[in-house]
Amino acid sequence: MTTVANGVNVQALLDAREALKSSPEAAQFVWKATTTWRDGVHSTTTVKEYFGLGQEQAHKAETVFEADHPEVFAATDNGVTPIEYLLVGLASCLTAGVASVAQNRGIQLRSVEAKLEGSHDIRGILGADSDVRNGFNDIKVTFTIDADASKQEIEALVAQSQKRSAVFDALTNPTDVTVEVA
C-alpha cells in the first residue's frame, strides 16, 4: 500500500474524536476575535486567544485581518470587504476538509483549488431597496482537484468535506447571533 502524504494527522483527529465522546464538555470551544475601527469603514481584527479543551488557549501567533471597502464604494480599500471574509472562511474550511478526508481515505492529493463567487445585490446594504436582503443571494464553490482518485471518489471527498464543514453549516443554517453594547 502506498503511503499518502497530504500533511494531515488523521490519527490525531480520530483519537480526539474518540476522547471527546467520553468528555463532551472538552469539545466546547469559543473562538474569539477583536476588531478595532481605524477610519471610515476600515477596521483591523486580531485573532489570538480561544477557549477549548476546558481552558484558555492561544494560537502560536496573532493574526491580523484588515477589512475595508473598495474605492468604488468611496472607501480607501485597505483590505477585503467583510463579506469577502465569508468566502475566505468557507473556502478554507472546505479545502481543509478535502485534505483531511483524502488523507483518511488514502487518497493522495496533488493539488486542490477552490474558486468561490458570491452574488450580492448591494442595494440592500445601501438602503436603496428594503426588499433586497443585505447578504449574499447565493455562493458558488467550484473545486479543481488533481488526485490519485476517480471523479466519483473526488466528488465524495468534497461531499464529505461539505457535510463536516463548520463554516458551510454556519452559512446554510440559522445561527443565533447576539449583538450588545457594553
Side-chain angles (χ1 to χ4, degrees), residues 61-78:
E62 179 176 85
T63 302
V64 178
F65 300 92
E66 299 293 332
D68 203 347
H69 289 80
E71 290 178 347
V72 297
F73 284 2
T76 55
D77 205 3
N78 286 311

Side-chain angles (χ1 to χ4, degrees), residues 105 107 148-158:
R105 294 185 180 178
I107 296 173
D148 292 332
S150 69
K151 185 174 195 296
Q152 292 78 12
E153 289 170 317
I154 291 171
E155 288 171 347
L157 288 178
V158 173

Side-chain angles (χ1 to χ4, degrees), residues 27-175:
Q28 303 308 308
F29 276 63
V30 178
W31 303 105
K32 303 175 183 181
T34 301
T35 300
T36 304
W37 170 70
R38 297 296 174 208
D39 186 49
V41 293
H42 177 209
S43 63
T44 302
T45 300
T46 57
V47 175
K48 174 75 173 170
E49 290 87 19
Y50 61 95
F51 179 89
L53 303 177
Q55 64 186 10
E56 291 296 327
Q57 306 278 353
H59 292 281
K60 289 191 299 186
E62 179 176 85
T63 302
V64 178
F65 300 92
E66 299 293 332
D68 203 347
H69 289 80
E71 290 178 347
V72 297
F73 284 2
T76 55
D77 205 3
N78 286 311
V80 301
T81 63
I83 201 158
E84 287 171 306
Y85 275 117
L86 284 177
L87 298 179
V88 171
L90 180 59
S92 300
C93 196
L94 289 172
T95 301
V98 166
S100 298
V101 175
Q103 183 76 39
N104 191 42
R105 294 185 180 178
I107 296 173
Q108 181 62 57
L109 299 172
R110 285 185 287 282
S111 66
V112 178
E113 181 179 83
K115 290 190 177 186
L116 285 79
E117 292 183 1
S119 299
H120 187 204
D121 184 337
I122 67 167
R123 291 177 298 161
I125 62 172
L126 293 174
D129 186 337
S130 60
D131 292 332
V132 174
R133 67 176 294 196
N134 294 331
F136 284 127
N137 297 320
D138 58 70
I139 298 172
K140 181 180 179 186
V141 180
T142 304
F143 274 102
T144 303
I145 300 173
D146 183 15
D148 292 332
S150 69
K151 185 174 195 296
Q152 292 78 12
E153 289 170 317
I154 291 171
E155 288 171 347
L157 288 178
V158 173
Q160 183 65 18
S161 172
Q162 182 178 323
K163 181 179 178 182
R164 293 286 174 231
S165 169
V167 179
F168 182 87
D169 179 85
L171 285 172
T172 59
N173 291 296
T175 301

